[in-house]
Amino acid sequence: DTGVSQNPRHKITKRGQNVTFRCDPISEHNRLYWYRQTLGQGPEFLTYFQNEAQLEKSRLLSDRFSAERPKGSFSTLEIQRTEQGDSAMYLCASSEDRGRETQYFGPGTRLLVL
Amino acid sequence: DQQVKQNSPSLSVQEGRISILNCDYTNSMFDYFLWYKKYPAEGPTFLISISSIKDKNEDGRFTVFLNKSAKHLSLHIVPSQPGDSAVYFCAASAPAGGTSYGKLTFGQGTILTVHP
């Protein structure tokens, strides 16, 4: 399977704890996106990487959120001092670096903050 | 502000009939539109896309229509099958450049149920 993979698929944590999610994009894809989806809403853009460079961040990405893509391959999204409002599905997508390429999504990581 | 809107939260259709899902947008900078299908506990799956230079794109049972003057697009599924039952999202993006790098702006989704 050469699709986008995300780990873990589910995460339950207590408020105040830190969590880290991982995304492995499709191997030849240079572009990587993180989105967040809450119940009844469509995915909302969080941040974008072109290779290892983080080129765009949404205002949704507070100081408690940080994302990295150190070698231009996999990416991690860390949430520090989690709050109940962080409970959501975190989606990763990747695409080729040629014009208007389709973004392909991973299965997501569902986070529940108690 | 909701730049992409899907005003119908749900749609119920009989198997074999046509399903029509609608989407409106407000940002005139959007020039590329996509439809995704999503099953519970899975990520969105790409269905079909259309560039603003076209007004129709067809792929098998799926056809997307774009009306730029009305800032409206629709997805037609013919014939509808029970396996099409899922949440459908429309998404839009603006040209890369400046601060836009192809991020997608999604609608709220429409739950399609196809009855046997």
Side-chain angles (χ1 to χ4, degrees):
Chain A
D1 184 10
T2 57
V4 178
S5 62
Q6 292 187 246
N7 288 289
R9 294 291 307 274
H10 304 274
K11 179 71 176 178
I12 301 174
T13 190
K14 292 183 179 179
R15 189 176 52 186
Q17 298 294 306
N18 299 344
V19 294
T20 299
F21 311 140
R22 176 177 170 130
C23 170
D24 287 89
I26 294 171
S27 59
E28 63 268 24
H29 287 184
N30 294 330
R31 297 178 179 173
L32 188 147
Y33 302 81
W34 284 97
Y35 293 84
R36 180 173 70 185
Q37 184 180 17
T38 53
L39 199 62
Q41 300 298 317
E44 293 177 290
F45 170 77
L46 290 178
T47 190
Y48 162 69
F49 288 87
Q50 174 91 16
N51 298 309
E52 67 275 8
Q54 187 175 20
L55 297 184
E56 188 174 4
K57 292 195 291 187
S58 164
R59 54 183 166 78
L60 293 176
L61 216 65
S62 75
D63 293 345
R64 297 183 296 106
F65 288 71
S66 62
E68 292 182 343
R69 194 181 182 197
K71 297 182 180 179
S73 56
F74 73 90
S75 176
T76 58
L77 177 67
E78 180 183 16
I79 309 174
Q80 296 181 328
R81 305 181 303 281
T82 53
E83 301 173 355
Q84 288 184 324
D86 297 331
S87 296
M89 172 78 87
Y90 290 85
L91 293 160
C92 175
S94 71
S95 72
E96 293 186 36
D97 186 18
R98 292 181 308 174
R100 312 305 293 279
E101 291 297 327
T102 298
Q103 293 180 30
Y104 293 92
F105 283 81
T109 295
R110 181 165 294 284
L111 173 66
L112 177 61
V113 182
L114 301 175
Chain B
D1 62 334
Q2 193 75 31
Q3 297 186 64
V4 179
K5 295 182 182 180
Q6 293 175 256
N7 292 317
S8 298
S10 63
L11 176 68
S12 183
V13 171
Q14 204 70 29
E15 180 179 7
R17 306 295 288 268
I18 184 171
S19 295
I20 300 176
L21 298 111
N22 294 302
C23 180
D24 297 294
Y25 62 97
T26 57
N27 189 340
S28 58
M29 294 299 293
F30 290 149
D31 70 342
Y32 187 63
F33 304 89
L34 308 91
W35 284 93
Y36 285 85
K37 177 171 74 173
K38 188 178 184 302
Y39 294 117
E42 294 184 12
T45 301
F46 170 72
L47 278 175
I48 192 168
S49 63
I50 187 167
S51 164
S52 61
I53 61 173
K54 295 184 175 181
D55 54 18
K56 176 183 175 181
N57 190 26
E58 198 170 348
D59 184 3
R61 296 186 299 114
F62 302 92
T63 302
V64 56
F65 295 92
L66 175 63
N67 182 334
K68 290 185 290 294
S69 60
K71 293 191 176 65
H72 177 84
L73 63 154
S74 61
L75 175 68
H76 293 209
I77 306 174
V78 181
S80 302
Q81 300 172 354
D84 295 330
S85 297
V87 182
Y88 288 76
F89 292 98
C90 68
S93 72
T99 59
S100 174
Y101 292 94
K103 67 184 178 191
L104 296 177
T105 301
F106 284 83
Q108 311 95 307
T110 297
I111 301 171
L112 173 65
T113 304
V114 181
H115 299 283

